[in-house]
């Protein structure tokens, strides 16, 4: 066909050499399309004039180039096929009409004929080109027209199938008649409704199928519809079955608007009709109920009037009570009643308080005290009937004044299921009383100032469990003010993971008024959580009345860090850690014993010196105060116990007299630094009353008065047991390191032996394989079955032996896998290589393999990654279920610091007992499948050698999921 454009090819070459001629032809092409009203122009209407001309120019240039290359017809037919497949970049398959097919090629042919005289005026050549164009475009038009017809036929077929599908799946009954009243349509809904198959109905007249309806209104309606009238039949009872229906009978009209048949759509309204009848019955019942309700309403109105009188009386009574009364709804978290006294208490009317709704706490109560009421609300859920909840908190009045309020309340209404619903309470302004208590407490707490600069974190709580004092060391540690820590504000710094445990210990011992020791993490001023140990001791006055708690906290972060580091080294250190824990428990018990003795000897809090001794004697630390002349002015009970001397024999003596000349000379430089205003921390040994010396940590804290150092505090901690534990742990760590080196050497020797053995065995096996091959050739003419069977058995045994040697080599390679060079590997490419390698097995199993690679590449040893993927995919194929088609899903994704490779199948699966033996060397759990039981062992060795792990989830006859956690190389 391309040879038929042989003469036109010269015309094409001539045109392409003249850019101006091509531009002129492009404008003429567009003009011809417009003159002939080519419908396809609608798809280019959004383009400017210049863009449309450029498109025409490209079309001409492309066509002439294709003529020169001999591919014009091939390209033109391909464009038609592209349009048919709805893949044309501009024109959709539904966007071409018959006019486009006829005009498009005719316009292009006319274009080239119009410009042909520019190329030649030779009659013979001119005639030949005209014939070529005519023949080319006629062939192209025929193909395009045939394609258009086939496309329209496909479209009509789809529309017909869609219509039939809609009719047959409609819940309405649909029937159609021709002009002779014969059935031409009877859908499935009618078949099910009237138990008549369409084969028994189609082609028959209406009266043949339903002779009893010949003279009925139904028959008359059909005749009227066949004459062109639309009929609606409302709410008719079905004469053939229980139910009701309504129907539309619609004439079918031809293009001349003449009827040639009718269609009837029958809608079943039985359910709606039954609902109407039921509603009518219910309406009558409601009327009767309404009469009863009217009678009840009258009774309620009478009761309501009495209730209003009662409420008025109650309001008068509550407004007359000299106290603020409120009712609080626990469930809706709002105040629902307040008497007039709230106006004088807070400056707000009862209506304003109620209007605040759930914002009452955030609007009126200081932010630091909201937790007090939240805790009270939690208590409501546990309170028994008759119990009273009492709290003190701070309110802000309308004028901005802060007042201390005491709230006493009890539950007075419960929900039907017995839960607390509403509480009744009374509020009392206790601001003056609280201020007096604070002033009294400040006068009593004069000697607390001596604890301000202690390196320990000191706190005190009142009888309500709310902290009302923290020393300067605590506030500097937290980086917060006293007001922020006041009450339960300090709890904001407790680590979220420790909060519940810490609160439980504190509240339990507070209610029991018993000492406690607990460890938890507290946020320091820089945001770091530090481990502290907290010693809490109950306080009593001389009359034995409980007055609160005193606590001392010590930063033990370094100890915790040391413990964690030792734990990470090896589990074998657990015995030493247990010994440390036992020592700590003994220390805590000793502290508790001392605290109990201090509690029994507590004297009146107002006595300043006795108060100081009460506070310091409760601490398990040697505390002393030494003036600038190096004379003891104060020592606590722990100090006297250590030296075995009463305090009267220590206070007033020079330091040198007590500790001795040698120790004094060692301490003197540090004492001088303390007297110069420096805080000093030293560790050393100190004589002990029971003989010998013990390891201690000594803190010297200068005491400044108007900027002048007048003495210093000495705080001494016994760290002997901790030092012993550390030495034991270090010794154990050294032993374990030695054992690990010995085990590593043994493992290397075993690996060398396995590698050497497998290498030495390979040559004899290869020779044996060669001898068997030679023997089979030599016996090829022998037809004895038993000889051939023996050869097969020998070859099978040699093959298994060879596979075992290869597996031993793989184990050695896996053990030495850390020596492999790591590189960036495409997981997708490696997976494709393995699937190509396993293509025979994949073809035999015919699995569905899905891939979801969220991580596409990984830095890993290439051979190790290949071994992991190969063994997991091979197992998924080998251990498939014969009851279903294999499905394998391969995923990669990130989980924290890990890249997780997951391979999931729907194969045989494993039970719990099998899973425990899964990664054992040479362990085969499904013996009916060929294998050596080495693959998963190799994977586990590779992964663990590289710092990862492998996990498996499996159920018998459901399938297995292997998850390999791979650590990225740094």
């Amino acid at each position: 066909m391309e040879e038929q454009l042989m003469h036109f090819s010269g015309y094409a070459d001539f045109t392409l050499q003249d850019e101006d001629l091509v531009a002129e032809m492009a404008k003429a092409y567009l003009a011809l399309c417009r003159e002939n009203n080519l419908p396809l122009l609608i798809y280019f209407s959004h383009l400017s004039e210049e863009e449309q001309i450029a498109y025409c120019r490209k079309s001409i240039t492309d066509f002439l180039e294709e003529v020169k290359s001999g591919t014009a017809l091939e390209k033109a037919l391909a464009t038609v096929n592209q349009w048919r497949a709805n893949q044309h970049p501009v024109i959709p398959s539904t966007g071409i009409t018959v006019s486009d097919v006829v005009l498009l090629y005719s316009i292009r042919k006319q274009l080239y004929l119009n410009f042909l005289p520019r190329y030649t005026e030779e009659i013979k050549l001119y005639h030949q080109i005209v014939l070529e164009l005519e023949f080319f475009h006629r062939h192209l038009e025929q193909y395009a027209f045939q394609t258009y017809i086939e496309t329209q036929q496909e479209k009509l077929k789809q529309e017909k199938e869609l219509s039939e599908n809609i009719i047959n799946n409609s819940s309405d009954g649909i029937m159609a008649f021709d002009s002779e009243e014969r059935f031409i349509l009877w859908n499935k809904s009618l078949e099910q409704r009237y138990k008549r198959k369409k084969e028994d109905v189609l082609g028959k007249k209406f009266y043949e199928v339903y002779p009893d309806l010949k003279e009925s209104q139904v028959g008359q309606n059909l005749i009227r519809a066949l004459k062109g009238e639309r009929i609606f039949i409302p709410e008719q009872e079905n004469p053939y079955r229980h139910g009701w229906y309504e129907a539309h009978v619609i004439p079918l009209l031809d293009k001349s608007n003449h009827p040639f048949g009718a269609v009837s759509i029958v809608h079943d309204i039985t359910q709606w009709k039954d609902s109407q009848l039921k509603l009518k019955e219910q309406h009558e019942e409601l009327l009767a109920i309404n009469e009863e309700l009217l009678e009840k309403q009258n009774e309620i109105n009478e009761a309501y009037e009495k209730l209003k009188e009662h409420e008025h009386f109650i309001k008068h009574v509550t407004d007359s009570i000299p106290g603020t009364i409120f009712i609080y709804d626990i469930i809706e978290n709002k105040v629902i009643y307040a008497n007039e006294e709230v106006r004088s208490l807070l400056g707000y009317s009862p209506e304003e308080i109620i209007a605040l709704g759930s914002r009452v706490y955030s609007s009126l109560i200081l932010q630091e005290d909201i937790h007090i009421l939240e805790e009270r609300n939690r208590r409501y859920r546990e309170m028994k009937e008759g119990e009273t909840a009492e709290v003190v908190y701070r309110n802000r009045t309308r004028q901005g004044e802060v007042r201390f309020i005491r709230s006493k309340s009890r539950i007075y209404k419960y929900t039907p299921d017995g839960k607390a619903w509403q509480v009744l309470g009374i509020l009392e302004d206790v601001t003056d009383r609280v201020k007096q208590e604070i002033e009294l407490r400040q006068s009593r707490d004069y000697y607390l100032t001596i604890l301000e600069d202690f390196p320990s974190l000191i706190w005190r709580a009142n009888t309500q469990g709310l902290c009302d004092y923290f020393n300067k060391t605590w506030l500097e540690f937290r980086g917060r003010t006293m007001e922020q820590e006041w009450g339960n504000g300090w709890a904001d710094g407790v680590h979220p993971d420790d909060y519940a445990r810490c609160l439980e210990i504190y509240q339990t011992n507070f209610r029991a008024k018993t000492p406690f020791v607990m460890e938890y993490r507290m946020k320091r001023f820089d945001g770091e959580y530090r481990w502290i140990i907290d010693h809490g001791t109950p306080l009593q006055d001389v009359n034995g009345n409980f007055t609160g708690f005193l606590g001392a906290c010590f930063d033990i972060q370094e100890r915790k860090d040391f413990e964690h580091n030792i734990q990470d080294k090896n589990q074998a250190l657990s015995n030493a850690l247990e010994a440390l824990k036992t020592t700590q428990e003994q220390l805590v018990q000793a502290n508790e014993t001392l605290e109990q003795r201090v509690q029994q000897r507590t004297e009146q809090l107002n006595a300043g010196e006795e108060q100081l001794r009460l506070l310091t004697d409760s601490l398990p630390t040697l505390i002393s105060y030494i003036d600038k002349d190096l004379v003891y002015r104060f020592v606590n009970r722990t100090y006297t116990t250590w030296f075995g001397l009463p305090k009267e024999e220590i206070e007033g003596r020079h330091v040198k007299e007590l500790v001795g000349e040698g120790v004094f000379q060692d301490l003197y430089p540090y004492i001088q630094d303390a007297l110069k205003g420096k805080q000093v921390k030293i560790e050393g040994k100190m004589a002990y009353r029971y003989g010998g010396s013990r390891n201690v940590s000594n803190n010297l804290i200068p005491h400044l008065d108007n900027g002048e150092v007048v003495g210093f505090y000495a705080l001494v901690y016994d760290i002997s047991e901790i030092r012993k534990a550390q030495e034991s742990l270090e010794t154990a760590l050294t032993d374990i390191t030695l054992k690990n080196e010995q085990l590593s050497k043994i493992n290397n020797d075993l690996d060398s032996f396995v590698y050497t053995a497998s290498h030495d065995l390979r040559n004899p096996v290869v020779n044996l394989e060669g001898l068997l091959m030679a023997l089979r050739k030599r016996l090829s003419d022998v037809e004895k079955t038993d000889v051939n069977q023996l050869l097969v058995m020998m070859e099978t045994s040699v093959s298994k032996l060879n596979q075992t040697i290869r597996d031993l080599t793989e184990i050695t390679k896996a053990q030495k896998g850390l020596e492999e060079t790591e590189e960036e590997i495409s997981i997708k490419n490696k997976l494709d290589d393995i699937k190509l390698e396993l293509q025979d097995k994949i073809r035999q199993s015919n699995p569905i393999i899905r891939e979801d690679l969220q991580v596409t590449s990984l830095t890993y040893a290439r051979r190790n990654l290949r071994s992991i993927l190969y063994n997991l995919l091979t197992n998924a194929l080998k251990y498939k279920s014969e009851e279903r088609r294999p499905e394998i899903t391969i995923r990669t994704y990130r989980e924290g610091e890990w890249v997780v490779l997951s391979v999931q199948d729907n194969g045989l699966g494993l039970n719990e007992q099998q899973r425990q033996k899964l990664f054992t060397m040479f362990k085969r759990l499904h013996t009916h499948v060929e294998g050596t039981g080495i693959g998963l062992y190799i994977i586990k060795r590779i992964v663990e050698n590289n710092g990862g792990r492998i996990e498996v989830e499996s159920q018998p006859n459901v399938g297995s999921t292997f998850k390999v956690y791979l650590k990225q190389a740094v």
Side-chain angles (χ1 to χ4, degrees):
M1 179 60 70
E2 301 298 344
E3 295 176 357
Q4 301 300 324
L5 293 176
M6 179 174 56
H7 297 89
F8 184 76
S9 177
Y11 178 23
D13 185 53
F14 166 80
T15 304
L16 289 171
Q17 293 178 9
D18 190 341
E19 291 290 335
D20 294 335
L21 177 59
V22 174
E24 185 180 353
M25 290 179 72
K27 293 179 181 178
Y29 190 13
L30 182 59
L32 282 172
C33 291
R34 289 172 175 170
E35 288 173 9
N36 290 275
N37 293 321
L38 184 67
L40 281 178
L41 287 176
I42 190 67
Y43 296 105
F44 302 90
S45 60
H46 65 287
L47 301 177
S48 65
E49 182 76 13
E50 291 76 12
E51 290 173 330
Q52 292 185 29
I53 292 173
Y55 190 89
C56 292
R57 180 170 183 161
K58 184 177 186 308
S59 176
I60 293 169
T61 304
D62 290 347
F63 175 69
L64 294 177
E65 291 287 357
E66 291 162 3
V67 169
K68 286 181 61 181
S69 63
T71 60
L73 183 61
E74 177 187 347
K75 296 289 187 181
L77 296 179
T79 301
V80 174
N81 293 331
Q82 189 182 33
W83 162 77
R84 179 174 184 172
N86 201 27
Q87 296 175 350
H88 196 280
V90 179
I91 305 169
S93 61
T94 58
I96 288 185
T97 65
V98 177
S99 299
D100 292 317
V101 176
V102 174
L103 289 175
L104 182 62
Y105 299 115
S106 175
I107 290 171
R108 190 167 69 175
K109 180 175 65 176
Q110 184 62 44
L111 173 70
Y112 293 120
L113 290 177
N114 289 347
F115 283 86
L116 183 56
R118 303 278 188 96
Y119 171 61
T120 182
E121 294 181 353
E122 182 183 345
I123 300 300
K124 184 176 180 181
L125 178 58
Y126 189 99
H127 181 67
Q128 189 64 39
I129 292 174
V130 170
L131 291 177
E132 287 179 1
L133 281 172
E134 182 66 30
F135 181 79
F136 178 83
H137 283 91
R138 185 168 64 251
H139 181 80
L140 191 56
E141 286 173 4
Q142 289 174 352
Y143 183 80
F145 193 73
Q146 180 63 32
T147 301
Y148 174 78
I149 291 172
E150 292 174 357
T151 303
Q152 293 303 308
Q153 287 176 342
E154 291 175 1
K155 182 179 178 182
L156 289 172
K157 182 179 178 183
Q158 292 174 357
E159 290 177 351
K160 181 181 178 183
E161 290 175 351
L162 178 61
S163 299
E164 290 177 353
N165 189 41
I166 292 172
I167 290 171
N168 282 325
N169 288 284
S170 173
S171 60
D172 291 334
I174 302 176
M175 63 185 81
F177 307 88
D178 61 12
S179 57
E180 300 296 327
E181 302 180 14
R182 284 189 292 266
F183 284 98
I184 59 175
L185 176 64
W186 183 268
N187 74 343
K188 290 183 178 179
S189 180
L190 290 173
E191 287 185 338
Q192 296 169 358
R193 194 179 299 175
Y194 296 107
K195 309 303 180 185
R196 290 177 183 269
K197 296 290 185 181
K198 67 178 182 178
E199 293 81 3
D200 301 331
V201 175
L202 297 183
K204 295 181 181 180
K205 288 191 175 185
F206 178 71
Y207 302 122
E208 293 177 11
V209 179
Y210 296 106
D212 52 330
L213 298 178
K214 186 172 184 179
E215 304 298 332
S216 68
Q217 186 63 41
V218 176
Q220 295 301 318
N221 289 335
L222 177 58
I223 293 171
R224 289 165 58 193
L226 290 172
K227 291 180 179 180
E229 185 179 351
R230 295 175 66 95
I231 309 296
F232 173 64
I233 306 172
E235 294 187 30
Q236 295 290 317
E237 188 171 3
N238 196 319
Y240 299 105
R241 55 191 287 270
H242 167 70
W244 293 76
Y245 71 92
E246 62 182 19
H248 292 266
V249 187
I250 306 167
L252 300 174
L253 306 176
D254 59 18
K255 292 183 179 181
S256 302
N257 216 28
H258 295 132
F260 65 88
V263 61
S264 176
I265 302 174
V266 183
H267 181 58
D268 191 326
I269 61 171
T270 303
Q271 188 174 2
W272 174 77
K273 192 70 176 178
D274 290 344
S275 297
Q276 272 194 328
L277 294 174
K278 186 175 291 185
L279 284 173
K280 183 178 179 181
E281 294 174 358
Q282 291 176 348
H283 179 68
E284 292 173 353
E285 291 177 2
L286 287 174
L287 288 176
I289 293 171
N290 190 44
E291 292 179 1
E292 295 180 8
L293 289 176
L294 288 174
E295 295 177 2
K296 295 290 184 182
Q297 183 64 40
N298 292 332
E299 296 175 2
I300 291 172
N301 289 338
E302 293 175 3
Y304 179 70
E305 292 299 326
K306 294 179 180 178
L307 181 61
K308 285 178 63 178
E309 294 177 4
H310 183 66
E311 286 182 350
H312 179 73
F313 172 76
I314 294 298
K315 186 176 186 302
H316 178 73
V317 171
T318 55
D319 288 344
S320 301
I321 294 175
T324 302
I325 297 175
F326 70 93
I327 297 178
Y328 177 74
D329 191 307
I330 301 171
I331 297 174
E332 296 188 6
N333 191 28
K334 65 181 182 180
V335 175
I336 61 175
Y337 171 78
N339 68 347
E340 280 296 324
E341 280 296 312
V342 75
R343 195 188 300 272
S344 59
L345 181 67
L346 300 178
Y348 295 94
S349 68
E351 293 75 19
E352 289 175 317
I353 296 295
I354 294 170
L356 288 174
S358 60
R359 295 180 292 109
V360 66
Y361 285 177
S362 59
S363 301
L364 301 180
I365 298 169
L366 267 64
Q367 182 69 28
E368 295 85 351
D369 290 1
I370 290 178
H371 65 90
I372 298 175
L373 295 184
E374 290 176 344
E375 176 62 26
R376 181 198 64 182
N377 291 350
R378 285 192 287 270
R379 283 187 56 207
Y380 283 147
R381 294 175 173 80
E382 302 173 358
M383 282 172 54
K384 298 178 181 179
E385 187 173 359
E387 289 184 348
T388 300
E390 180 177 343
V391 293
V392 176
Y393 56 90
R394 290 171 291 176
N395 254 76
R396 183 176 285 107
T397 67
R398 180 188 288 275
Q399 293 76 23
E401 180 185 356
V402 175
R403 292 185 179 179
F404 284 86
I405 304 297
R406 173 180 284 123
S407 169
K408 293 182 178 181
S409 57
R410 62 175 56 182
I411 301 168
Y412 91 101
K413 186 180 287 188
Y414 295 85
T415 61
D417 56 355
K419 294 181 180 178
W421 180 8
Q422 294 177 356
V423 296
L424 175 66
I426 185 168
L427 304 178
E428 179 186 2
D429 187 343
V430 294
T431 304
D432 294 339
R433 192 182 309 165
V434 170
K435 287 182 177 179
Q436 291 173 0
E437 289 178 358
I438 292 174
E439 292 173 359
L440 179 60
R441 188 182 303 115
Q442 289 175 346
S443 65
R444 291 200 311 262
D445 296 346
Y446 169 76
Y447 287 100
L448 283 176
T449 57
I450 199 170
L451 297 176
E452 280 294 287
D453 293 318
F454 276 22
S456 304
L457 283 66
I458 307 297
W459 58 267
R460 188 183 66 184
N462 59 23
T463 56
Q464 293 182 347
L466 302 176
C467 290
D468 55 9
Y469 171 77
F470 297 92
N471 72 342
K472 187 171 73 173
T473 306
W474 176 290
L475 298 178
E476 289 176 349
F477 178 87
R478 294 279 288 123
R480 285 160 60 96
T481 64
M482 182 73 76
E483 289 74 17
Q484 289 173 318
E485 297 291 270
W486 192 83
N488 286 330
W490 64 274
D492 295 341
V494 179
H495 194 285
D497 293 344
D498 302 337
Y499 182 82
R501 174 178 57 80
C502 179
L503 190 61
E504 173 66 20
I505 294 173
Y506 178 77
Q507 292 179 342
T508 300
N509 286 276
F510 193 91
R511 286 193 293 266
K513 301 180 179 61
T514 56
F516 64 84
V517 178
M518 60 179 174
E519 295 180 3
Y520 55 91
R521 286 165 286 184
M522 175 67 76
K523 184 185 291 185
R524 199 168 60 181
F525 64 89
D526 57 1
E528 179 186 353
Y529 282 101
R530 305 278 296 179
W531 278 100
I532 64 174
I533 183 169
D534 192 344
H535 295 259
T537 304
L539 298 177
Q540 296 178 344
D541 59 22
V542 293
N543 297 320
N545 297 317
F546 175 67
T547 60
F549 258 76
L550 176 72
C553 303
F554 305 93
D555 188 331
I556 59 170
Q557 184 64 44
E558 294 180 359
R559 193 197 77 191
K560 281 288 184 180
D561 291 342
F562 182 78
E563 291 174 357
H564 292 158
N565 289 335
I566 295 301
Q567 288 173 354
D568 292 340
K569 291 297 182 180
N570 204 297
Q571 186 61 35
L573 300 179
S574 61
N575 292 334
L577 290 175
E578 187 64 32
L580 177 59
K581 182 179 178 182
T582 302
T583 303
Q584 291 173 339
E585 290 174 352
Q586 291 172 352
L587 287 174
V588 170
Q589 291 172 0
N591 290 336
E592 290 175 354
T593 301
L594 290 174
E595 289 162 358
Q596 289 170 0
R597 291 176 181 173
V598 170
Q599 179 182 337
Q600 293 170 0
R601 296 188 177 112
T602 303
E603 296 182 357
Q604 189 174 3
L605 292 174
N606 294 336
E609 183 178 355
E610 198 59 35
Q611 174 70 5
L612 173 61
R613 192 162 304 283
L614 171 68
L615 297 175
T616 55
D617 286 352
S618 66
L619 300 176
T621 305
L622 282 73
I623 302 174
S624 63
Y625 177 74
I626 302 169
D627 63 18
K628 61 182 179 180
D629 295 325
L630 305 187
V631 175
Y632 284 102
R633 295 304 178 189
F634 171 83
V635 292
N636 71 340
R637 184 179 301 279
T638 309
Y639 210 99
T640 61
T641 302
W642 181 278
F643 286 100
L645 297 172
K647 68 183 184 65
E648 292 80 8
E649 294 184 20
I650 298 177
E651 294 175 354
R653 294 175 64 183
H654 195 278
V655 173
K656 185 191 300 185
E657 297 178 31
L658 186 67
V659 301
E661 179 68 29
V663 174
F664 177 77
Q665 293 301 327
D666 293 337
L667 289 176
Y668 189 70
Y670 302 106
I671 293 174
Q672 288 295 101
D673 288 339
L675 292 175
K676 292 177 183 178
K678 297 180 182 179
Q679 185 167 325
V680 181
K681 181 178 181 180
I682 53 177
E683 290 188 4
K685 292 184 178 292
M686 190 166 74
Y688 190 51
R689 63 177 292 189
Y690 297 110
S693 60
R694 296 179 68 85
N695 290 306
V696 295
S697 174
N698 202 334
N699 292 270
L700 308 182
I701 304 166
H703 176 209
L704 301 176
D705 186 7
N706 295 324
E708 180 183 355
V709 179
V710 296
F712 61 89
Y713 300 99
L715 284 80
V716 182
Y717 306 91
D718 185 354
I719 59 173
S720 298
E721 296 301 326
I722 294 177
R723 284 286 176 267
K724 288 180 182 179
Q726 288 177 345
E727 292 171 0
S728 299
L729 292 173
E730 289 169 359
T731 302
L733 181 59
T734 302
D735 293 341
I736 289 169
T737 303
L738 211 59
K739 291 179 181 178
N740 285 338
E741 291 175 354
Q742 294 173 353
L743 288 173
S744 178
K745 182 179 179 182
I746 293 171
N747 283 336
N748 290 333
D749 292 342
L750 286 174
D751 289 339
S752 299
F753 170 74
V754 171
Y755 183 79
T756 303
S758 61
H759 182 270
D760 293 343
L761 287 172
R762 185 177 298 278
N763 288 333
V765 170
V766 170
N767 293 336
L768 190 57
E769 284 181 329
L771 291 172
L772 283 172
M773 290 176 63
L775 182 60
R776 179 172 285 282
K777 288 181 180 180
R778 183 70 58 89
L779 299 176
S780 59
D781 296 333
V782 179
E783 297 182 357
K784 291 184 178 181
T785 305
D786 54 347
V787 173
N788 290 329
Q789 287 179 346
L790 287 173
L791 284 174
V792 170
M793 292 171 63
M794 292 171 67
E795 288 170 344
T796 300
S797 298
V798 171
S799 177
K800 289 183 177 179
L801 179 59
N802 202 8
Q803 182 61 46
T804 301
I805 293 171
R806 284 197 296 269
D807 289 342
L808 288 171
T809 305
E810 285 299 318
I811 293 172
T812 305
K813 291 177 180 178
Q815 179 63 24
K816 297 180 179 293
L818 292 174
E819 301 173 4
E820 290 286 329
T821 302
E822 294 175 337
E823 57 184 298
E824 186 77 14
I825 306 172
S826 169
I827 299 175
K828 171 66 175 173
N829 292 345
K830 179 58 64 178
L831 190 58
D832 290 342
D833 292 344
I834 292 172
K835 288 196 291 186
L836 184 63
E837 188 177 345
L838 297 174
Q839 60 182 342
D840 291 338
K841 292 184 179 179
I842 292 175
R843 191 181 303 111
Q844 293 172 4
S845 301
N846 188 28
I848 299 172
I849 300 179
R850 302 183 183 91
E851 297 178 12
D852 178 14
L853 304 179
Q854 298 177 25
V855 179
T856 57
S857 63
L858 179 68
T859 301
Y860 215 73
R862 181 176 296 276
R863 185 169 65 182
N864 288 348
L865 183 60
R866 184 261 178 199
S867 182
I868 293 170
L869 288 169
Y870 181 87
N871 280 295
L872 289 178
L873 186 55
T874 302
N875 281 0
L877 292 170
K878 285 199 305 185
Y879 300 110
K880 65 181 184 299
S881 173
E882 299 299 334
E883 300 176 0
R884 51 188 172 270
R885 183 181 179 185
E887 295 184 15
I888 303 172
T889 301
I890 303 170
R891 297 178 58 219
T892 59
Y893 57 91
R894 294 192 182 277
E895 187 176 304
E897 63 176 341
W898 304 98
V899 172
V900 182
L901 167 65
S902 169
V903 179
Q904 180 180 1
D905 63 58
N906 65 340
L908 298 174
L910 304 164
N911 57 36
E912 181 62 30
Q913 186 177 4
Q914 291 173 321
R915 282 204 302 272
Q916 294 176 359
K917 303 176 182 178
L918 185 60
F919 297 103
T920 306
M921 189 190 306
F922 300 118
K923 189 66 179 178
R924 296 178 58 226
L925 303 177
H926 296 290
T927 55
H928 67 284
V929 179
E930 285 294 327
T932 61
I934 202 71
L936 290 176
Y937 174 79
I938 290 174
I939 292 176
K940 191 172 187 293
R941 290 292 294 272
I942 289 174
V943 172
E944 291 181 351
N945 283 348
N946 286 275
R949 68 180 191 274
I950 182 170
E951 297 177 355
V952 61
E953 299 172 0
S954 185
Q955 293 185 31
N957 202 32
V958 175
S960 303
T961 301
F962 287 86
K963 293 181 181 179
V964 181
Y965 290 78
L966 303 171
K967 184 170 288 187
Q968 277 276 32
V970 180

